[in-house]
Amino acid sequence: MARFELVTERAMHFGIPFRMTSKITAFDRPRSFIDQQLSGPFASFVHLHTFEPVGDGTRMTDQISFRSRLGPLGALVNRALLTRYLTNLIAMRNQQIKAEAERRSS
């Protein structure tokens, strides 16, 4: 039976404190897993992580689907700000994960 984990993160974004609890809702080791917001700042937030062998390493790809609260105003905020912000945030986290993985493998 699969074991699914809960994670609660606290972070400061745009000078506002946020708390988000996510659950791993699907796990296909070693190919992928999905975490989904249970509570937090978004109306919905789903994050698919996929892994594929590439040469001597692994390529990790992220796909995020999210919807802001506040209906049409939230959709405008998504287009104007959040999509780019989240893309940059995930890219920065991935660089940190990569650096840590490489540090531990050397």
Side-chain angles (χ1 to χ4, degrees), residues 68-89:
S68 296
R69 300 185 189 279
L70 304 177
L73 178 59
L76 180 62
V77 170
N78 289 352
R79 285 193 300 275
L81 183 67
L82 282 179
T83 298
R84 184 183 330 193
Y85 182 80
L86 289 172
T87 299
N88 291 337
L89 179 66

Side-chain angles (χ1 to χ4, degrees), residues 12-103:
M12 187 77 73
H13 298 284
F14 308 109
I16 302 167
F18 287 96
R19 180 181 165 142
M20 184 163 120
T21 299
S22 299
K23 180 179 183 177
I24 297 175
T25 57
F27 189 68
D28 181 18
R29 186 178 181 167
R31 291 178 276 292
S32 66
F33 71 94
I34 297 172
D35 61 88
Q36 188 168 350
Q37 175 191 283
L38 296 179
S39 64
F42 295 95
S44 69
F45 189 95
V46 179
H47 186 177
L48 168 64
H49 310 257
T50 57
F51 306 91
E52 62 180 304
V54 176
D56 291 339
T58 301
R59 176 181 295 134
M60 180 177 73
T61 305
D62 294 282
Q63 184 177 354
I64 298 171
S65 171
F66 69 95
R67 197 173 78 252
S68 296
R69 300 185 189 279
L70 304 177
L73 178 59
L76 180 62
V77 170
N78 289 352
R79 285 193 300 275
L81 183 67
L82 282 179
T83 298
R84 184 183 330 193
Y85 182 80
L86 289 172
T87 299
N88 291 337
L89 179 66
I90 295 297
M92 184 175 57
R93 283 189 179 173
N94 286 350
Q95 286 300 316
Q96 292 169 344
I97 291 167
K98 181 178 187 276
E100 181 64 17
E102 289 172 347
R103 185 187 68 77

